[in-house]
Amino acid sequence: FTLIQQTKILFTAVLSRLLLQRLLSLARWRAILTLFLSVLIICHQTQPQAACAPPPRETLATAEHMQQAEDMREAVAGEGGGPTERAWHDYVVGVSAVTLEAMLSGLSNVYFERVLKSTALSLWERNVQLAGYSLLIYVPMAQHAHPGDMLHGWSGVTVVVACLGALGGILIGLVLKYCDSIIKNLALSTAIITTATLDHFVFHGPMNLPIIAAAGSVLISIINYTDA
């Protein structure tokens, strides 16, 4: 699902062409596609593993036991196909939801850019306007969840995270105002490289040749896009 979510890079470029009539050269389209593929590699290499390595005793299972397990799986799948069908249905729903989220993310970026560049209101006025709409939604939800204590569970770390989120929103607005939504995705791609690097040094995450090569490809794609 993390990989599918990166399609917002392509959706943003396509929607910029459709909604903003922005013409991109073939060189820039190639740079975007290369960037997209490189980000996919980094996300795939840094994602959590689905399962840990089996203990040595399990690796000594005989072929007979393995065959029995395979027969049991086939028997379960053959009973009306219930579990298999449910798993397939959940997978399709999940992929569709993530694809829709990526599309809406690209649409929101492009539309917000269009609003910022086509109206008389300033960036700060638009941010206050959007924050006001958000308060109309979240304040009643917080009041309903914890009457009389809307900040229930908040700590110093929570306040810092909220402030960082607000600062990030302002920075995104500035990027959309003075650059464009595609440049914003280019910046987020470098953030993925930074995250993978910090994950390696702080949490001992993976740092292998595919990640390093993909990171270099991301940087080259950004340079190619800006020079095209």
Side-chain angles (χ1 to χ4, degrees), residues 83-129:
T84 303
E85 290 181 1
R86 285 196 299 271
W88 177 251
H89 176 266
D90 293 342
Y91 178 78
V92 172
V93 171
V95 169
S96 302
V98 176
T99 303
L100 179 61
E101 188 273 336
M103 185 182 301
L104 292 177
S105 176
L107 177 61
S108 64
N109 289 329
V110 174
Y111 183 76
F112 189 42
E113 178 188 351
R114 180 177 180 179
V115 170
L116 287 177
K117 294 181 177 179
S118 62
T119 59
L121 293 179
S122 67
L123 170 65
W124 308 105
E125 291 170 332
R126 282 297 181 188
N127 278 329
V128 171
Q129 184 183 48

Side-chain angles (χ1 to χ4, degrees), residues 34-106:
T34 305
L35 174 72
F36 169 68
L37 296 177
S38 302
V39 170
L40 285 186
I41 294 175
I42 296 176
C43 292
H44 181 267
Q45 292 293 322
T46 56
Q47 68 179 353
Q49 298 298 321
C52 298
R57 194 185 320 181
E58 292 185 8
T59 60
L60 299 178
T62 62
E64 180 181 355
H65 293 162
M66 296 174 62
Q67 184 62 40
Q68 290 177 355
E70 182 67 24
D71 293 341
M72 291 178 62
R73 284 194 295 267
E74 293 179 355
V76 172
E79 294 177 357
T84 303
E85 290 181 1
R86 285 196 299 271
W88 177 251
H89 176 266
D90 293 342
Y91 178 78
V92 172
V93 171
V95 169
S96 302
V98 176
T99 303
L100 179 61
E101 188 273 336
M103 185 182 301
L104 292 177
S105 176

